[in-house]
Amino acid sequence: MDRRLVLWNIDLTLVDVTIVTRDAYAEAFRQVTGRPLVKLAPAMGRPDSEIIFETLAVNGIVAEDEHLPAFIAALTTAFAARRKRLDREGRMMPGAKDALKAVARLDGVVQSVLTGTIKGNAVHKLAAFGLDKHVDFEIGGYGEEVYPKATLLQVAQGRAKQKYGCAFTAANTVLIGDSTRDVQAARIGGAGMIAVATGRSTPAELTEAGADIVLRDLANPSEVVAAIARLTAAGTQVGTG
Protein backbone atom coordinates (compact mmCIF):
# COMPACT_ATOMS: atom_id res chain seq x y z
CA MET A 1 0.00 0.00 0.00
CA ASP A 2 1.22 3.48 -0.83
CA ARG A 3 1.67 5.46 2.36
CA ARG A 4 1.16 9.16 2.90
CA LEU A 5 1.97 11.26 5.92
CA VAL A 6 -0.28 14.02 7.24
CA LEU A 7 1.28 16.24 9.90
CA TRP A 8 -0.95 18.56 11.92
CA ASN A 9 -0.01 21.73 13.72
CA ILE A 10 -1.89 21.85 17.05
CA ASP A 11 -2.42 25.35 18.44
CA LEU A 12 -5.07 27.35 16.58
CA THR A 13 -5.26 24.58 13.96
CA LEU A 14 -6.86 21.83 16.06
CA VAL A 15 -7.34 23.45 19.50
CA ASP A 16 -7.03 26.78 21.30
CA VAL A 17 -5.85 26.41 24.90
CA THR A 18 -4.08 29.75 25.20
CA ILE A 19 -5.31 30.56 28.72
CA VAL A 20 -4.11 27.29 30.25
CA THR A 21 -0.83 27.45 28.35
CA ARG A 22 -0.05 30.94 29.65
CA ASP A 23 -0.89 29.88 33.19
CA ALA A 24 1.42 26.85 32.93
CA TYR A 25 4.21 29.06 31.55
CA ALA A 26 3.80 31.45 34.46
CA GLU A 27 4.10 28.60 36.96
CA ALA A 28 7.12 27.10 35.19
CA PHE A 29 8.83 30.50 35.02
CA ARG A 30 8.31 31.04 38.74
CA GLN A 31 9.69 27.59 39.55
CA VAL A 32 12.79 28.01 37.39
CA THR A 33 13.67 31.64 38.14
CA GLY A 34 12.04 32.36 41.48
CA ARG A 35 10.38 35.43 39.94
CA PRO A 36 6.85 36.15 38.70
CA LEU A 37 6.35 36.12 34.94
CA VAL A 38 5.83 39.66 33.68
CA LYS A 39 5.80 39.07 29.92
CA LEU A 40 5.37 35.88 27.90
CA ALA A 41 6.99 35.89 24.46
CA PRO A 42 4.39 35.50 21.68
CA ALA A 43 4.08 32.05 20.14
CA MET A 44 3.73 33.04 16.45
CA GLY A 45 4.09 29.41 15.37
CA ARG A 46 7.42 29.01 17.15
CA PRO A 47 8.58 26.02 19.25
CA ASP A 48 8.40 26.07 23.04
CA SER A 49 12.21 25.98 23.17
CA GLU A 50 12.40 29.31 21.31
CA ILE A 51 9.56 30.84 23.33
CA ILE A 52 11.31 29.84 26.56
CA PHE A 53 14.59 31.52 25.59
CA GLU A 54 12.85 34.73 24.51
CA THR A 55 10.64 34.75 27.59
CA LEU A 56 13.70 34.52 29.81
CA ALA A 57 15.34 37.37 27.87
CA VAL A 58 12.37 39.76 27.91
CA ASN A 59 12.05 39.21 31.65
CA GLY A 60 15.69 40.07 32.23
CA ILE A 61 17.01 36.56 32.83
CA VAL A 62 20.34 35.61 31.24
CA ALA A 63 19.85 32.07 29.93
CA GLU A 64 22.24 29.44 31.25
CA ASP A 65 22.75 25.89 30.00
CA GLU A 66 20.47 24.42 32.62
CA HIS A 67 17.57 26.79 31.98
CA LEU A 68 16.04 25.04 28.95
CA PRO A 69 15.83 21.49 30.37
CA ALA A 70 14.67 22.83 33.73
CA PHE A 71 11.99 25.00 32.09
CA ILE A 72 10.78 22.15 29.86
CA ALA A 73 10.49 19.84 32.87
CA ALA A 74 8.65 22.49 34.88
CA LEU A 75 6.34 23.33 31.96
CA THR A 76 5.50 19.65 31.49
CA THR A 77 4.60 19.30 35.15
CA ALA A 78 2.64 22.56 35.29
CA PHE A 79 0.67 21.72 32.16
CA ALA A 80 -0.15 18.19 33.32
CA ALA A 81 -1.47 19.62 36.60
CA ARG A 82 -3.86 21.80 34.58
CA ARG A 83 -4.95 19.22 32.01
CA LYS A 84 -8.49 18.96 33.44
CA ARG A 85 -8.98 22.64 32.68
CA LEU A 86 -8.20 22.30 28.97
CA ASP A 87 -11.68 21.43 27.70
CA ARG A 88 -13.35 23.89 30.11
CA GLU A 89 -11.15 26.91 29.40
CA GLY A 90 -10.07 26.02 25.86
CA ARG A 91 -11.87 25.03 22.70
CA MET A 92 -11.61 22.64 19.82
CA MET A 93 -11.34 24.42 16.50
CA PRO A 94 -14.37 24.03 14.22
CA GLY A 95 -14.39 20.69 12.40
CA ALA A 96 -11.16 19.39 13.95
CA LYS A 97 -12.51 16.04 15.17
CA ASP A 98 -14.42 15.26 11.99
CA ALA A 99 -11.44 16.27 9.87
CA LEU A 100 -9.10 13.90 11.72
CA LYS A 101 -11.65 11.07 11.40
CA ALA A 102 -12.18 11.73 7.69
CA VAL A 103 -8.44 11.88 6.95
CA ALA A 104 -7.97 8.60 8.83
CA ARG A 105 -10.22 6.92 6.23
CA LEU A 106 -7.88 7.86 3.39
CA ASP A 107 -5.99 4.81 2.14
CA GLY A 108 -2.46 4.54 3.51
CA VAL A 109 -2.59 7.69 5.64
CA VAL A 110 -0.52 8.05 8.78
CA GLN A 111 -1.38 11.09 10.90
CA SER A 112 0.93 12.77 13.38
CA VAL A 113 1.81 16.26 14.59
CA LEU A 114 4.42 18.87 13.74
CA THR A 115 4.10 21.28 16.60
CA GLY A 116 5.95 23.82 18.65
CA THR A 117 4.45 22.22 21.74
CA ILE A 118 6.58 19.85 23.81
CA LYS A 119 5.51 16.24 23.41
CA GLY A 120 3.81 15.59 26.75
CA ASN A 121 1.76 18.76 26.48
CA ALA A 122 0.85 18.01 22.86
CA VAL A 123 -0.66 14.70 23.95
CA HIS A 124 -2.63 16.41 26.73
CA LYS A 125 -3.95 19.09 24.36
CA LEU A 126 -5.37 16.59 21.90
CA ALA A 127 -6.52 14.00 24.44
CA ALA A 128 -8.55 16.64 26.31
CA PHE A 129 -10.80 17.00 23.27
CA GLY A 130 -10.73 13.37 22.11
CA LEU A 131 -8.48 14.23 19.17
CA ASP A 132 -5.70 11.75 19.94
CA LYS A 133 -7.31 8.59 18.58
CA HIS A 134 -6.01 8.90 15.02
CA VAL A 135 -2.60 10.44 15.83
CA ASP A 136 0.67 8.50 15.95
CA PHE A 137 2.64 10.53 18.49
CA GLU A 138 5.77 8.40 18.08
CA ILE A 139 6.66 9.91 14.72
CA GLY A 140 5.83 13.56 15.36
CA GLY A 141 8.06 16.60 15.74
CA TYR A 142 7.89 18.55 18.98
CA GLY A 143 8.85 21.82 20.63
CA GLU A 144 11.54 20.49 22.96
CA GLU A 145 13.62 19.50 19.95
CA VAL A 146 15.87 22.45 19.16
CA TYR A 147 15.47 22.45 15.38
CA PRO A 148 13.92 24.91 12.96
CA LYS A 149 10.44 23.70 12.06
CA ALA A 150 11.50 22.78 8.51
CA THR A 151 14.20 20.51 9.89
CA LEU A 152 11.73 19.09 12.38
CA LEU A 153 9.46 18.19 9.46
CA GLN A 154 12.30 16.16 7.96
CA VAL A 155 12.94 14.55 11.34
CA ALA A 156 9.28 13.49 11.45
CA GLN A 157 9.53 12.09 7.92
CA GLY A 158 12.59 10.10 9.00
CA ARG A 159 10.79 8.71 12.03
CA ALA A 160 7.84 7.73 9.86
CA LYS A 161 10.15 6.00 7.39
CA GLN A 162 11.81 4.04 10.18
CA LYS A 163 8.46 2.90 11.60
CA TYR A 164 6.47 2.32 8.42
CA GLY A 165 9.24 1.24 6.05
CA CYS A 166 8.74 3.67 3.20
CA ALA A 167 10.15 7.05 2.25
CA PHE A 168 8.13 10.19 2.94
CA THR A 169 8.85 13.11 0.64
CA ALA A 170 7.15 16.24 -0.69
CA ALA A 171 5.12 13.93 -2.95
CA ASN A 172 3.40 12.07 -0.12
CA THR A 173 3.67 14.38 2.92
CA VAL A 174 1.19 17.12 3.79
CA LEU A 175 1.42 19.66 6.60
CA ILE A 176 -1.78 21.28 7.87
CA GLY A 177 -1.29 24.46 9.89
CA ASP A 178 -2.45 28.01 10.43
CA SER A 179 0.66 30.22 10.40
CA THR A 180 3.06 31.54 7.80
CA ARG A 181 5.81 29.74 9.75
CA ASP A 182 4.03 26.47 9.05
CA VAL A 183 3.93 27.34 5.36
CA GLN A 184 7.63 28.17 5.35
CA ALA A 185 8.42 24.87 7.09
CA ALA A 186 6.53 22.94 4.42
CA ARG A 187 8.20 24.82 1.59
CA ILE A 188 11.71 24.35 2.98
CA GLY A 189 11.29 20.94 4.59
CA GLY A 190 9.52 19.25 1.70
CA ALA A 191 5.75 18.82 2.08
CA GLY A 192 2.52 19.90 0.51
CA MET A 193 0.89 22.67 2.53
CA ILE A 194 -2.75 23.09 3.49
CA ALA A 195 -3.16 26.33 5.43
CA VAL A 196 -6.25 27.03 7.50
CA ALA A 197 -7.06 30.64 8.34
CA THR A 198 -8.01 29.92 11.95
CA GLY A 199 -4.94 31.50 13.54
CA ARG A 200 -3.36 34.92 13.31
CA SER A 201 -2.37 34.75 9.64
CA THR A 202 -4.87 35.96 7.05
CA PRO A 203 -5.74 33.93 3.94
CA ALA A 204 -3.80 36.47 1.84
CA GLU A 205 -0.72 36.11 4.04
CA LEU A 206 -0.91 32.32 3.89
CA THR A 207 -1.24 32.40 0.12
CA GLU A 208 1.62 34.86 -0.26
CA ALA A 209 3.82 32.68 1.96
CA GLY A 210 3.34 29.84 -0.52
CA ALA A 211 0.57 27.60 0.79
CA ASP A 212 -0.64 25.15 -1.85
CA ILE A 213 -4.24 25.30 -0.61
CA VAL A 214 -5.86 27.75 1.83
CA LEU A 215 -9.06 26.81 3.66
CA ARG A 216 -11.13 29.08 5.87
CA ASP A 217 -11.24 26.36 8.55
CA LEU A 218 -11.66 22.59 8.99
CA ALA A 219 -15.45 22.70 9.15
CA ASN A 220 -15.90 20.81 5.88
CA PRO A 221 -14.04 17.47 6.24
CA SER A 222 -14.53 16.62 2.57
CA GLU A 223 -12.60 19.79 1.65
CA VAL A 224 -9.70 18.66 3.81
CA VAL A 225 -9.73 15.14 2.38
CA ALA A 226 -9.91 16.45 -1.19
CA ALA A 227 -7.00 18.81 -0.54
CA ILE A 228 -4.83 15.99 0.82
CA ALA A 229 -5.75 13.73 -2.09
CA ARG A 230 -4.83 16.49 -4.52
CA LEU A 231 -1.43 17.08 -2.94
CA THR A 232 -0.40 13.45 -2.54
CA ALA A 233 0.18 10.52 -4.85
CA ALA A 234 -2.06 10.51 -7.91
CA GLY A 235 -4.52 7.69 -8.19
CA THR A 236 -4.74 6.83 -4.49
CA GLN A 237 -8.32 5.90 -3.67
CA VAL A 238 -10.25 7.36 -0.76
CA GLY A 239 -11.56 4.77 1.67
CA THR A 240 -15.18 4.76 2.72
CA GLY A 241 -15.00 2.76 5.95
Side-chain angles (χ1 to χ4, degrees):
M1 177 189 294
D2 290 335
R3 290 282 189 183
R4 38 192 168 175
L5 177 63
V6 176
L7 297 169
W8 293 85
N9 179 61
I10 294 180
D11 290 308
L12 300 183
T13 300
L14 294 173
V15 301
D16 179 3
V17 292
T18 304
I19 294 171
V20 180
T21 298
R22 181 179 176 82
D23 195 22
Y25 258 98
E27 173 64 18
F29 186 89
R30 186 192 62 77
Q31 287 186 19
V32 171
T33 68
R35 302 184 192 177
L37 176 67
V38 176
K39 183 176 182 181
L40 177 62
M44 299 188 303
R46 298 182 299 173
D48 276 331
S49 57
E50 191 174 331
I51 296 167
I52 288 167
F53 280 126
E54 186 175 328
T55 295
L56 290 169
V58 298
N59 287 277
I61 305 292
V62 178
E64 306 287 349
D65 288 347
E66 69 273 11
H67 272 128
L68 182 60
F71 207 120
I72 287 173
L75 185 59
T76 301
T77 301
F79 201 89
R82 292 160 173 77
R83 65 187 182 279
K84 293 182 180 178
R85 292 169 46 191
L86 289 169
D87 62 339
R88 298 198 308 266
E89 298 178 33
R91 65 187 176 113
M92 179 169 58
M93 304 306 285
K97 184 174 288 187
D98 288 339
L100 281 162
K101 287 169 62 177
V103 173
R105 292 194 292 267
L106 277 165
D107 285 344
V109 159
V110 178
Q111 295 187 85
S112 191
V113 293
L114 185 72
T115 176
T117 301
I118 58 181
K119 186 174 183 179
N121 295 358
V123 174
H124 286 313
K125 286 179 181 182
L126 295 190
F129 298 92
L131 300 179
D132 55 326
K133 179 180 178 182
H134 300 294
V135 176
D136 183 345
F137 290 102
E138 286 185 12
I139 61 172
Y142 300 95
E144 67 266 43
E145 303 178 271
V146 188
Y147 300 113
K149 209 164 191 179
T151 303
L152 201 55
L153 189 155
Q154 295 171 338
V155 169
Q157 288 173 320
R159 288 172 177 156
K161 178 181 180 181
Q162 185 173 19
K163 181 170 182 177
Y164 293 99
C166 64
F168 292 97
T169 68
N172 61 357
T173 304
V174 174
L175 175 59
I176 304 177
D178 62 88
S179 72
T180 55
R181 282 179 177 259
D182 293 324
V183 179
Q184 291 160 3
R187 295 279 67 80
I188 297 168
M193 182 67 209
I194 300 171
V196 288
T198 50
R200 296 180 176 87
S201 299
T202 66
E205 289 169 340
L206 295 166
T207 299
E208 185 177 351
D212 295 299
I213 296 169
V214 178
L215 303 178
R216 183 179 58 186
D217 53 32
L218 300 172
N220 185 343
S222 62
E223 268 190 338
V224 180
V225 167
I228 292 168
R230 174 179 154 193
L231 294 176
T232 53
T236 305
Q237 298 299 307
V238 177
T240 56

Short mmCIF file of all heavy atoms in Angstrom, two decimals, residues 165-212:
data_model
loop_
_atom_site.label_atom_id
_atom_site.label_comp_id
_atom_site.label_asym_id
_atom_site.label_seq_id
_atom_site.Cartn_x
_atom_site.Cartn_y
_atom_site.Cartn_z
N GLY A 165 8.48 1.94 7.08
CA GLY A 165 9.24 1.24 6.05
C GLY A 165 9.14 1.80 4.66
O GLY A 165 9.40 1.08 3.69
N CYS A 166 8.74 3.06 4.53
CA CYS A 166 8.74 3.67 3.20
C CYS A 166 9.16 5.13 3.32
O CYS A 166 9.05 5.74 4.39
CB CYS A 166 7.37 3.56 2.53
SG CYS A 166 6.06 4.45 3.35
N ALA A 167 9.65 5.68 2.23
CA ALA A 167 10.15 7.05 2.25
C ALA A 167 8.99 8.04 2.20
O ALA A 167 8.00 7.83 1.49
CB ALA A 167 11.07 7.28 1.05
N PHE A 168 9.11 9.11 2.96
CA PHE A 168 8.13 10.19 2.94
C PHE A 168 8.81 11.45 2.43
O PHE A 168 9.82 11.90 2.98
CB PHE A 168 7.53 10.41 4.33
CG PHE A 168 6.66 9.26 4.77
CD1 PHE A 168 7.18 8.26 5.58
CD2 PHE A 168 5.35 9.15 4.34
CE1 PHE A 168 6.40 7.19 5.98
CE2 PHE A 168 4.55 8.08 4.72
CZ PHE A 168 5.08 7.10 5.55
N THR A 169 8.26 11.98 1.35
CA THR A 169 8.85 13.11 0.64
C THR A 169 7.77 14.17 0.41
O THR A 169 6.63 14.03 0.87
CB THR A 169 9.41 12.66 -0.72
OG1 THR A 169 8.29 12.28 -1.56
CG2 THR A 169 10.35 11.48 -0.57
N ALA A 170 8.13 15.20 -0.35
CA ALA A 170 7.15 16.24 -0.69
C ALA A 170 5.98 15.67 -1.48
O ALA A 170 4.89 16.25 -1.49
CB ALA A 170 7.83 17.35 -1.48
N ALA A 171 6.18 14.52 -2.12
CA ALA A 171 5.12 13.93 -2.95
C ALA A 171 4.05 13.22 -2.13
O ALA A 171 2.92 13.04 -2.61
CB ALA A 171 5.73 12.94 -3.95
N ASN A 172 4.39 12.82 -0.91
CA ASN A 172 3.40 12.07 -0.12
C ASN A 172 3.32 12.54 1.34
O ASN A 172 2.85 11.81 2.21
CB ASN A 172 3.68 10.57 -0.17
CG ASN A 172 5.04 10.19 0.39
OD1 ASN A 172 5.82 11.06 0.78
ND2 ASN A 172 5.33 8.90 0.43
N THR A 173 3.77 13.78 1.58
CA THR A 173 3.67 14.38 2.92
C THR A 173 2.89 15.69 2.81
O THR A 173 3.15 16.49 1.92
CB THR A 173 5.07 14.68 3.50
OG1 THR A 173 5.85 13.49 3.51
CG2 THR A 173 4.95 15.22 4.92
N VAL A 174 1.97 15.88 3.74
CA VAL A 174 1.19 17.12 3.79
C VAL A 174 1.24 17.67 5.21
O VAL A 174 1.07 16.92 6.18
CB VAL A 174 -0.29 16.88 3.39
CG1 VAL A 174 -1.11 18.16 3.60
CG2 VAL A 174 -0.38 16.43 1.94
N LEU A 175 1.50 18.96 5.32
CA LEU A 175 1.42 19.66 6.60
C LEU A 175 0.16 20.52 6.60
O LEU A 175 -0.14 21.19 5.62
CB LEU A 175 2.65 20.54 6.79
CG LEU A 175 2.69 21.46 8.02
CD1 LEU A 175 2.58 20.66 9.31
CD2 LEU A 175 3.94 22.32 8.02
N ILE A 176 -0.58 20.46 7.71
CA ILE A 176 -1.78 21.28 7.87
C ILE A 176 -1.54 22.20 9.06
O ILE A 176 -1.34 21.73 10.18
CB ILE A 176 -3.04 20.42 8.08
CG1 ILE A 176 -3.22 19.43 6.93
CG2 ILE A 176 -4.27 21.33 8.22
CD1 ILE A 176 -4.40 18.49 7.10
N GLY A 177 -1.56 23.51 8.82
CA GLY A 177 -1.29 24.46 9.89
C GLY A 177 -1.90 25.81 9.59
O GLY A 177 -2.50 26.02 8.53
N ASP A 178 -1.73 26.74 10.53
CA ASP A 178 -2.45 28.01 10.43
C ASP A 178 -1.54 29.23 10.31
O ASP A 178 -2.03 30.34 10.18
CB ASP A 178 -3.33 28.20 11.66
CG ASP A 178 -2.52 28.26 12.95
OD1 ASP A 178 -2.08 29.36 13.33
OD2 ASP A 178 -2.28 27.21 13.55
N SER A 179 -0.21 29.05 10.38
CA SER A 179 0.66 30.22 10.40
C SER A 179 1.58 30.25 9.18
O SER A 179 1.82 29.22 8.54
CB SER A 179 1.53 30.22 11.67
OG SER A 179 2.53 29.22 11.60
N THR A 180 2.10 31.43 8.90
CA THR A 180 3.06 31.54 7.80
C THR A 180 4.33 30.75 8.11
O THR A 180 5.01 30.27 7.20
CB THR A 180 3.41 33.01 7.52
OG1 THR A 180 3.90 33.63 8.73
CG2 THR A 180 2.19 33.77 7.02
N ARG A 181 4.66 30.59 9.38
CA ARG A 181 5.81 29.74 9.75
C ARG A 181 5.58 28.29 9.36
O ARG A 181 6.50 27.59 8.96
CB ARG A 181 6.09 29.85 11.25
CG ARG A 181 6.83 31.13 11.64
CD ARG A 181 7.06 31.18 13.14
NE ARG A 181 7.83 32.38 13.49
CZ ARG A 181 9.12 32.39 13.76
NH1 ARG A 181 9.80 31.26 13.72
NH2 ARG A 181 9.73 33.51 14.08
N ASP A 182 4.34 27.82 9.50
CA ASP A 182 4.03 26.47 9.05
C ASP A 182 4.24 26.35 7.54
O ASP A 182 4.79 25.36 7.06
CB ASP A 182 2.57 26.11 9.39
CG ASP A 182 2.33 25.99 10.88
OD1 ASP A 182 3.21 25.52 11.61
OD2 ASP A 182 1.22 26.38 11.32
N VAL A 183 3.78 27.36 6.82
CA VAL A 183 3.93 27.34 5.36
C VAL A 183 5.41 27.31 4.98
O VAL A 183 5.83 26.54 4.12
CB VAL A 183 3.24 28.57 4.72
CG1 VAL A 183 3.44 28.55 3.21
CG2 VAL A 183 1.75 28.59 5.06
N GLN A 184 6.20 28.14 5.63
CA GLN A 184 7.63 28.17 5.35
C GLN A 184 8.28 26.83 5.65
O GLN A 184 9.15 26.37 4.90
CB GLN A 184 8.28 29.29 6.16
CG GLN A 184 7.88 30.69 5.70
CD GLN A 184 8.11 31.76 6.76
OE1 GLN A 184 8.62 31.47 7.84
NE2 GLN A 184 7.73 32.99 6.45
N ALA A 185 7.86 26.18 6.74
CA ALA A 185 8.42 24.87 7.09
C ALA A 185 8.11 23.84 6.01
O ALA A 185 8.98 23.03 5.64
CB ALA A 185 7.85 24.41 8.43
N ALA A 186 6.89 23.87 5.49
CA ALA A 186 6.53 22.94 4.42
C ALA A 186 7.32 23.20 3.16
O ALA A 186 7.81 22.27 2.51
CB ALA A 186 5.03 23.04 4.13
N ARG A 187 7.47 24.47 2.81
CA ARG A 187 8.20 24.82 1.59
C ARG A 187 9.67 24.40 1.68
O ARG A 187 10.24 23.87 0.73
CB ARG A 187 8.12 26.34 1.35
CG ARG A 187 6.73 26.88 1.08
CD ARG A 187 6.29 26.68 -0.38
NE ARG A 187 6.11 25.28 -0.74
CZ ARG A 187 5.03 24.56 -0.45
NH1 ARG A 187 4.05 25.10 0.22
NH2 ARG A 187 4.95 23.30 -0.82
N ILE A 188 10.29 24.65 2.82
CA ILE A 188 11.71 24.35 2.98
C ILE A 188 11.93 22.88 3.28
O ILE A 188 12.84 22.24 2.74
CB ILE A 188 12.32 25.22 4.10
CG1 ILE A 188 12.23 26.71 3.74
CG2 ILE A 188 13.78 24.84 4.36
CD1 ILE A 188 12.54 27.64 4.89
N GLY A 189 11.08 22.31 4.13
CA GLY A 189 11.29 20.94 4.59
C GLY A 189 10.88 19.88 3.59
O GLY A 189 11.38 18.76 3.63
N GLY A 190 9.94 20.21 2.72
CA GLY A 190 9.52 19.25 1.70
C GLY A 190 8.20 18.59 2.01
O GLY A 190 8.13 17.42 2.37
N ALA A 191 7.10 19.35 1.87
CA ALA A 191 5.75 18.82 2.08
C ALA A 191 4.75 19.70 1.36
O ALA A 191 4.99 20.89 1.16
CB ALA A 191 5.41 18.77 3.57
N GLY A 192 3.64 19.10 0.97
CA GLY A 192 2.52 19.90 0.51
C GLY A 192 1.95 20.66 1.69
O GLY A 192 2.04 20.21 2.83
N MET A 193 1.35 21.83 1.43
CA MET A 193 0.89 22.67 2.53
C MET A 193 -0.58 23.05 2.38
O MET A 193 -0.98 23.67 1.40
CB MET A 193 1.72 23.96 2.59
CG MET A 193 1.33 24.89 3.75
SD MET A 193 1.72 24.16 5.34
CE MET A 193 0.46 24.92 6.39
N ILE A 194 -1.37 22.63 3.38
CA ILE A 194 -2.75 23.09 3.49
C ILE A 194 -2.80 24.06 4.65
O ILE A 194 -2.55 23.68 5.80
CB ILE A 194 -3.72 21.92 3.74
CG1 ILE A 194 -3.65 20.90 2.59
CG2 ILE A 194 -5.15 22.44 3.92
CD1 ILE A 194 -4.41 19.62 2.87
N ALA A 195 -3.09 25.30 4.38
CA ALA A 195 -3.16 26.33 5.43
C ALA A 195 -4.62 26.58 5.77
O ALA A 195 -5.47 26.67 4.88
CB ALA A 195 -2.49 27.61 4.96
N VAL A 196 -4.90 26.68 7.05
CA VAL A 196 -6.25 27.03 7.50
C VAL A 196 -6.19 28.38 8.20
O VAL A 196 -5.32 28.61 9.04
CB VAL A 196 -6.84 25.94 8.43
CG1 VAL A 196 -7.20 24.71 7.65
CG2 VAL A 196 -5.90 25.59 9.57
N ALA A 197 -7.11 29.25 7.85
CA ALA A 197 -7.06 30.64 8.34
C ALA A 197 -7.78 30.77 9.68
O ALA A 197 -8.65 31.62 9.86
CB ALA A 197 -7.66 31.57 7.30
N THR A 198 -7.39 29.91 10.63
CA THR A 198 -8.01 29.92 11.95
C THR A 198 -7.09 30.52 13.00
O THR A 198 -7.47 30.63 14.17
CB THR A 198 -8.38 28.49 12.37
OG1 THR A 198 -7.25 27.63 12.19
CG2 THR A 198 -9.54 27.97 11.54
N GLY A 199 -5.88 30.90 12.60
CA GLY A 199 -4.94 31.50 13.54
C GLY A 199 -4.82 32.98 13.31
O GLY A 199 -5.79 33.67 13.00
N ARG A 200 -3.59 33.47 13.41
CA ARG A 200 -3.36 34.92 13.31
C ARG A 200 -2.88 35.36 11.94
O ARG A 200 -2.62 36.54 11.72
CB ARG A 200 -2.37 35.34 14.40
CG ARG A 200 -2.94 35.12 15.80
CD ARG A 200 -2.00 35.54 16.91
NE ARG A 200 -2.65 35.38 18.22
CZ ARG A 200 -2.65 34.25 18.93
NH1 ARG A 200 -2.02 33.18 18.46
NH2 ARG A 200 -3.28 34.18 20.09
N SER A 201 -2.76 34.42 11.02
CA SER A 201 -2.37 34.75 9.64
C SER A 201 -3.62 34.80 8.77
O SER A 201 -4.48 33.93 8.86
CB SER A 201 -1.39 33.71 9.09
OG SER A 201 -0.20 33.66 9.86
N THR A 202 -3.71 35.81 7.92
CA THR A 202 -4.87 35.96 7.05
C THR A 202 -4.73 35.03 5.84
O THR A 202 -3.62 34.57 5.51
CB THR A 202 -4.98 37.40 6.54
OG1 THR A 202 -3.85 37.67 5.69
CG2 THR A 202 -5.00 38.39 7.69
N PRO A 203 -5.84 34.74 5.16
CA PRO A 203 -5.74 33.93 3.94
C PRO A 203 -4.74 34.51 2.93
O PRO A 203 -3.99 33.77 2.30
CB PRO A 203 -7.17 33.95 3.39
CG PRO A 203 -8.03 34.12 4.60
CD PRO A 203 -7.25 35.03 5.51
N ALA A 204 -4.73 35.84 2.79
CA ALA A 204 -3.80 36.47 1.84
C ALA A 204 -2.36 36.23 2.26
O ALA A 204 -1.49 35.95 1.42
CB ALA A 204 -4.09 37.96 1.74
N GLU A 205 -2.07 36.34 3.55
CA GLU A 205 -0.72 36.11 4.04
C GLU A 205 -0.29 34.66 3.84
O GLU A 205 0.86 34.38 3.48
CB GLU A 205 -0.63 36.48 5.53
CG GLU A 205 -0.70 37.98 5.79
CD GLU A 205 -0.88 38.33 7.25
OE1 GLU A 205 -1.33 37.46 8.03
OE2 GLU A 205 -0.58 39.48 7.62
N LEU A 206 -1.21 33.74 4.07
CA LEU A 206 -0.91 32.32 3.89
C LEU A 206 -0.65 32.00 2.43
O LEU A 206 0.26 31.23 2.09
CB LEU A 206 -2.05 31.48 4.44
CG LEU A 206 -2.26 31.58 5.96
CD1 LEU A 206 -3.61 31.00 6.36
CD2 LEU A 206 -1.13 30.88 6.71
N THR A 207 -1.44 32.60 1.56
CA THR A 207 -1.24 32.40 0.12
C THR A 207 0.09 32.99 -0.33
O THR A 207 0.85 32.35 -1.06
CB THR A 207 -2.39 33.05 -0.67
OG1 THR A 207 -3.63 32.43 -0.28
CG2 THR A 207 -2.19 32.87 -2.17
N GLU A 208 0.37 34.19 0.12
CA GLU A 208 1.62 34.86 -0.26
C GLU A 208 2.84 34.09 0.24
O GLU A 208 3.89 34.05 -0.42
CB GLU A 208 1.64 36.28 0.30
CG GLU A 208 2.84 37.09 -0.16
CD GLU A 208 2.80 38.53 0.34
OE1 GLU A 208 1.75 38.94 0.88
OE2 GLU A 208 3.81 39.23 0.18
N ALA A 209 2.71 33.45 1.41
CA ALA A 209 3.82 32.68 1.96
C ALA A 209 4.10 31.41 1.16
O ALA A 209 5.18 30.83 1.29
CB ALA A 209 3.53 32.32 3.42
N GLY A 210 3.11 30.98 0.35
CA GLY A 210 3.34 29.84 -0.52
C GLY A 210 2.51 28.61 -0.24
O GLY A 210 2.83 27.51 -0.72
N ALA A 211 1.43 28.75 0.54
CA ALA A 211 0.57 27.60 0.79
C ALA A 211 -0.01 27.08 -0.52
O ALA A 211 -0.40 27.85 -1.40
CB ALA A 211 -0.56 27.99 1.74
N ASP A 212 -0.07 25.75 -0.64
CA ASP A 212 -0.64 25.15 -1.85
C ASP A 212 -2.15 25.35 -1.89
O ASP A 212 -2.74 25.62 -2.94
CB ASP A 212 -0.33 23.66 -1.89
CG ASP A 212 1.15 23.40 -2.03
OD1 ASP A 212 1.74 23.83 -3.03
OD2 ASP A 212 1.74 22.77 -1.12
#
